[in-house]
Structure formats: C-alpha cells, structure tokens
Amino acid sequence: MSVPKSKDDASPGVLDALRATPRPVRYLLGGVLLNQLGAFVQTFLVLYLTHRGYGVDRAGFLLGAYGVGAVAGTVVGGELTLRLGSRNTIIAAMGGSSVLVFVIPWLAEPGTYPVLLGLVVLLGLMTQAYRPAASALLSELMPDEFRVMGFSMLRIAMNIGAAAGPLLAAGLIQINWNLLFWFDGVTALVYALLAAVLLPRPVRKASAPDPAEDTVAEEGKQSTYGAMIRDHRFLFYLASMLLSALVYAQFFSVLPIDLEDAGHSTALYSVVLTLSSALLISLELAVTARVSRWRASTAAAVGTFVYCLGVAGFGLPGSVPALILLTTVVSVGGLMVSGPTLWAHPAKAEQKIRGRYIAASQAVFGLGSAIGPALGMLMWTRYGDGIWLACGIVGVLAAALAHAGLRPSDEPAEAAEAAPQDPPAGTGSREDSAVVG
C-alpha cells in the first residue's frame, strides 16, 4: 500500500514536462521525427523490389534480412553508445545509413542480388544502431521526474513520422520510385549533421588515464552481460517485451488479412491504422502524465494486459466495423499506459551499463517483431480466429512478467512502509511511481 500524495507532491503535468525538456532533448526529438519521416526502406522495400523485377519470394527474403540486421543493430548500437558516446553513435549510424540507402537504386537489379543482400543486412544494422544511443541520451538529459514522459515524447515523435511518412511516400512514388531512397538518405544525413552540431559532446576525463582503471572498466564491460543474465527480474522484463512484441506484430500482419477474409474492405484497416496513430499522437503524453502517479510495475502490467485484451477482441464472433474500432481504441489505450514506462525501464540502469540494457530491451522487442508475423500467419492458417485467443493468453503472461520484472522500482515504497516510523501523508518518495520505471 503506497503512501497517498499531497497536492504539492502530485505528479507533474504535460506543460511541466514540456517546459522542463532541455534544449538538446528537443533537438534529439526533432532529429528522430525527421529521420522517421523518411524511413521508407522497411515499409516499401518489397514493393520497390518487385517494381524493379524481383520475385515476391526474393523481395520478402531481403526484407527478412533487413530485419535480422535491425535486431543486430540495436545490440551494436548499445556497444557503440558505451564506447563512443550517444552523440557520436548517432552521427556514425545515421551517416553510414545515409550512404547505404543512397546506393540501393543502383544495386536493385536482379543480377546484383548477393551484393544487395549484404547491403540490406548492413543497412538494417546501421539504421537501428542509433536507437539505444538516442534512448540513453534522452535518459541522461531529461530530469528524473520527467523521464517516462520524455520517452512518451520520443514515441510521439516516431509516431508522427510514421504517420506522415507514407503520405509523403505516395507523392514521391508518383514522380520516381528511386526518390524514396534518396529522400531517406537525405533525412538520415541531415539527422547526422544536426547531431554533430546540436547534441552535447561526450564529457572527457581531465585527468590522465589510469591503466588500472582501464583494466577494471574493461572487466566491467565483459561482466555486464553476465550480470544481466543473472538478473532474473530483468529477464522477466525481457520476456514480457518479447511476448508483447509477438502480439504487437499481429496488428500489422494477421489483422489486415483476417479483416479481408471476414469480408471487410481494405479501407477499414486503413481507418484502424489512422485511428491508432491519431490516438497515440494526440493523447499519449496526457495519459503518461496521469500514469506517472502509478507504480511502474502497475502501469506496465495493466497497460500490457489491456493492450493484449484489445487485440484478443479482434477475434470476437460477428465483429462489425464499430466493434473493431472499439477494440482498436482499447488496445491503443493499453499501449499508451504501458509503453513509456516499459521503454524507460532499462534507462534506470547505471550510466556505464545503460546502453547495453537499453540495447537488450530493444533487441528483444525487435526479435519478437521480426518472428511474430511468421508465427502469427502460421497460426492463422491453421486455427483461424484462434490466433486472437492465443494473443489474449500470451498477453496475460506478458502482463504478469512485466509486473514481476518492474517490481524492484516498488521496493523503496515497501521499505518505507516497513520502517519503524511512517512518514506523514504527502511525503511519499517519487521512487514508488512509474517515473522511475
């Protein structure tokens, strides 16, 4: 039982968070939005390659190769963040990505398939390597009490770019398909340049390097992953992220096919996507301000459960468009409750290992997103709408794991309650709220 909070100790609101956002964080979020606005490769790669003469099977395999590179990129990005710093990692990742995506139109002939395959894997790696760095820098610069809301802003920036990008792509395709990749390359290059000019440089130690300290630091780097594996609560969290990603993937893979099979028009799925983006962009920050009053474990568990419950609702018999839109609202509501807290959770690790923890989280979610469509389509072809019941069951397990994984953030509150003298009402520590999750 947590200590009630007084008015003076109430969680900050949206305007408070916006005012408290440091200028470098605003530059970071602007760069993320710009980069996401031009992130066309994963969305349009299959269509582009079939336009250039590739078969669907080969084009699909190349998209899978991009996904493999993307999962590896989050791990590499975590390592680079530790060794080079967040700013330099973003510059290197975006600069390399811009060069690689620029040359895709010149290597997209069917006869250059082996070269294109290697390039696509490397492109996926470079494109995703910036994400752990961006998350680590956001966590470092954002005031602690606004950390979860900072991650909500990051998600909103990505969602705005993801929503507006396809509209921009539709216009570019009408002119020339190659413009998709040239524009993607330009946005990545501009992001790299903005990072070089506007983001803070890594702080260097003024004292001369101590070989003994370097040895200890190197041993610490080698032991981080071992400690992570022994951290069973963090493993619970990672398992929850994996299961959540498997369910999340069905929203983009099975749902459009299932709606079409049920006799609904393609326009209905477009409305579902538009509604989802509109809700996330317009309401997530306000929802996060409310949720920041909750314990981190509660926000993660409740949001995950509600989201997966909404996805399970797509399998209700005799679903009509109004019910499908209602279940969409429920699922997106769950995402808004749990998403920022889950994204921010690895950022509470010590700064020297934060990059690896963030990278592990994003790699696991990326892995679930990569294998989720294949598993979902396999289940749908065999069991039909039973896939949605399975999503509900997986969601219950993911919610339980999220609660167990984020439980350490509740320990200060429990310790306070167990102390010989109870604090007066209104002096509850902020560490019992979701903002430290």
Side-chain angles (χ1 to χ4, degrees), residues 182-222:
W182 295 334
F183 185 84
D184 193 339
V186 168
T187 56
L189 181 60
V190 171
Y191 186 16
L193 294 175
L194 289 176
V197 174
L198 300 175
L199 295 185
R201 297 176 180 273
V203 178
R204 296 182 179 180
K205 292 183 179 180
S207 58
D210 186 342
E213 289 184 3
D214 292 342
T215 301
V216 172
E218 187 61 32
E219 291 176 353
K221 291 177 181 178
Q222 294 173 359

